[in-house]
Amino acid sequence: MARLHISVWRRRRREHLTGEPPDRVHHESFPPDEDQGLWQELAALPRKQRAVLVLRHYEQLSDGEIAQVLGISPGTVRSQASRGLDKLRSSLSSSPAPHRSMR
């Protein structure tokens, strides 16, 4: 049963090769100095909330795409994003240094 489950899982997650790579926006490897505080606050979030927020705002993926990447439901994506943004807002508003907010 375990091997059957693993083989089905692997078949669904297989990559599909294409002739043309999808268009992606190139981002700098390191954020500018004024964004360092935001990235530190983001790093303090729980793993799933951090992943959802980075995929949504940095990689600009839709809720459906994020759900596929993380293997969770779109409803979970929305709830994790909401909780993560609430935590970021509260931590950034209580911190003394000014930070830029997420878009």
Side-chain angles (χ1 to χ4, degrees):
M1 291 300 284
R3 289 183 182 154
L4 177 63
H5 175 71
I6 290 170
S7 65
V8 169
W9 177 79
R10 284 184 179 155
R11 271 185 258 143
R12 275 194 250 149
R13 299 225 181 229
R14 192 160 286 181
E15 292 181 5
H16 300 285
L17 300 178
T18 63
E20 297 279 328
D23 291 335
R24 293 278 182 168
V25 177
H26 175 71
H27 299 287
E28 293 182 20
S29 299
F30 300 102
D33 290 337
E34 65 265 7
D35 286 345
Q36 287 296 325
L38 175 62
W39 284 99
Q40 290 171 352
E41 295 294 334
L42 191 63
L45 291 177
R47 184 176 52 137
K48 196 178 289 186
Q49 291 175 6
R50 181 174 57 242
V52 167
L53 290 178
V54 167
L55 290 173
R56 178 183 274 182
H57 296 282
Y58 190 71
E59 294 293 329
Q60 299 176 347
L61 298 181
S62 69
D63 289 349
E65 293 169 324
I66 296 169
Q68 281 185 331
V69 167
L70 298 179
I72 57 178
S73 71
T76 304
V77 169
R78 289 187 291 275
S79 68
Q80 292 296 313
S82 176
R83 290 179 185 148
L85 285 173
D86 285 344
K87 286 183 181 181
L88 272 181
R89 285 183 189 117
S90 65
S91 66
L92 290 175
S93 66
S94 65
S95 62
H99 298 285
R100 287 178 38 188
S101 63
M102 301 275 306
R103 291 180 219 145

